[in-house]
């Protein structure tokens, strides 16, 4: 029997409770063996907007998932320079781990964007897409996708960065350890 692994990609800049809820809900619903959080190097569709290093993002992600035995970090995109396309990454992962079925987790905002993804036809043969609902976005697509209903949380890393910029609390939006790390390293402050 093949191992069933969920992949949740993102900038995780910073990682927040919404990411953890998505991963846990999908892990549970699909009875996955594990979910890997895959921070990207440089996403093709958006520019990075913070002073935070890859190392900072990795540390915050480690703190966020430390208490879940089925969550881990996949650093394959950190190994490569420049823009990372999901197709290239998943092709590499499949060649490294041919005995794994990968479930690529995306929010409804990304479901709408799928037709624009690089090599989407081949990618949808490599992975099983899993879509989760997000407020204000459609889950309809022509691509094969498993839709999972999760508790709706309209939370984003942008909201958290904006709160920090305005000196507002981010308690209960990210793990306490992440709040401390951000304070200690003065991340996301007024640049």
């Amino acid at each position: 029997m093949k191992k069933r692994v969920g992949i949740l990609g993102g900038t995780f800049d910073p990682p927040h409770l919404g990411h953890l809820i998505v991963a846990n809900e999908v892990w549970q619903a699909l009875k996955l063996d594990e979910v890997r959080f895959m921070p990207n190097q440089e996403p093709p569709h958006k520019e990075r907007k913070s002073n935070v290093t890859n190392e900072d993002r990795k540390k915050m992600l480690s703190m966020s998932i430390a208490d879940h035995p089925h969550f881990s970090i996949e650093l394959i995109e950190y190994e490569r320079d420049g823009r990372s396309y999901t197709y290239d990454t998943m092709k590499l992962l499949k060649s490294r781990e041919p005995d794994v079925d990968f479930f690529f987790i995306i929010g409804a905002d990304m479901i709408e964007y799928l037709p624009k993804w690089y090599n989407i036809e081949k990618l949808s043969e490599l992975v099983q897409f899993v879509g989760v609902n997000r407020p204000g976005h459609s889950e309809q697509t022509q691509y094969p996708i498993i839709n999972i209903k999760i508790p709706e949380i309209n939370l984003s890393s942008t909201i958290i960065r904006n709160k920090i910029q305005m000196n507002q609390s981010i308690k209960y939006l990210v793990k306490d350890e992440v709040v401390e790390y951000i304070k200690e390293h003065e991340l996301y402050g007024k640049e």
Side-chain angles (χ1 to χ4, degrees), residues 125-137:
E125 292 168 15
L126 273 184
V127 300
Q128 170 62 65
F129 279 110
V130 179
V132 297
N133 45 297
R134 272 193 89 167
H137 295 279

Side-chain angles (χ1 to χ4, degrees), residues 84 92 101 150 163:
S84 294
L92 192 55
D101 282 333
I150 63 165
K163 282 184 159 296

Side-chain angles (χ1 to χ4, degrees), residues 5-70:
V5 175
I7 298 281
L8 181 61
T11 50
F12 304 111
D13 194 17
H16 54 69
L17 295 187
H19 295 129
L20 301 177
I21 290 166
V22 166
N24 196 59
E25 292 290 317
V26 172
W27 170 73
Q28 209 168 218
L30 297 181
K31 298 177 175 42
L32 300 177
D33 294 298
E34 67 175 300
V35 174
R36 298 181 196 165
F37 290 72
M38 185 172 72
N40 46 31
Q41 180 75 280
E42 195 182 323
H45 63 280
K46 58 177 162 181
E47 295 298 316
R48 294 276 312 283
K49 291 182 182 71
S50 79
N51 61 345
V52 177
T53 66
N54 283 353
E55 196 53 36
D56 288 324
R57 291 189 299 145
K58 189 170 94 179
K59 283 183 180 153
M60 289 187 287
L61 203 44
S62 292
M63 293 170 183
S64 298
I65 66 172
D67 60 356
H68 198 300
H70 299 279

Side-chain angles (χ1 to χ4, degrees), residues 72-135:
S72 63
I73 299 176
E74 173 57 69
L75 292 174
I76 191 167
E77 292 205 338
Y78 275 15
E79 298 167 10
R80 306 199 328 266
D81 290 330
R83 296 187 180 269
S84 294
Y85 290 99
T86 305
Y87 171 72
D88 297 333
T89 301
M90 294 314 300
K91 209 168 105 181
L92 192 55
L93 264 183
K94 281 295 271 189
S95 70
R96 286 184 187 178
E97 302 175 64
D99 56 335
V100 172
D101 282 333
F102 287 105
F103 294 79
F104 200 85
I105 306 163
I106 57 176
D109 53 328
M110 283 290 114
I111 295 173
E112 293 174 354
Y113 200 78
L114 278 180
K116 296 183 176 84
W117 281 33
Y118 172 72
N119 240 340
I120 184 61
E121 301 298 335
K122 288 182 182 168
L123 176 59
S124 58
E125 292 168 15
L126 273 184
V127 300
Q128 170 62 65
F129 279 110
V130 179
V132 297
N133 45 297
R134 272 193 89 167

